Amino acid sequence: MSTVILLSLALMCLALCLAFVRLFKGPSLPDRVVALELFSSILVGTIGLVAIATDVPSLLDVAIVMALMAFMAAIGFARFLERGGSRDD
């Protein structure tokens, strides 16, 4: 594995940890939803990097499905908040 990929994976792991902290400490529900969206985006990037590093193209399908599921979850949360769902801000 090249140094660039290893460095990118390390930075993405750090970003995942920081997004996870925001997910738990977020002061309000919208902050947590944004943190969850960030978490899933970083996870999709990590899966893409692993696909490149291991030369397994089927992992890209997993990344695409993960991105679509995250998008649908974000839409669902947005509709929930729009309709006056529970907000703690």
Side-chain angles (χ1 to χ4, degrees):
M1 226 183 288
S2 74
T3 306
V4 174
I5 290 177
L6 285 176
L7 182 64
S8 298
L9 284 174
L11 289 175
M12 286 189 162
C13 285
L14 177 66
L16 276 175
C17 292
L18 293 175
F20 199 68
V21 168
R22 173 52 70 188
L23 185 65
F24 274 110
K25 294 181 79 175
S28 66
L29 183 60
D31 290 333
R32 290 186 173 131
V33 170
V34 170
L36 187 64
E37 185 68 25
L38 176 65
F39 189 84
S40 64
S41 296
I42 295 169
L43 197 60
V44 167
T46 303
I47 293 171
L49 268 178
V50 170
I52 291 170
T54 59
D55 202 23
V56 177
S58 62
L59 285 176
L60 293 176
D61 295 335
V62 174
I64 290 170
V65 169
M66 181 78 187
L68 287 173
M69 288 175 57
F71 176 72
M72 294 303 287
I75 295 296
F77 276 121
R79 289 186 59 101
F80 174 71
L81 291 175
E82 184 181 74
R83 291 183 180 181
S86 81
R87 300 181 74 168
D88 54 350
D89 55 344

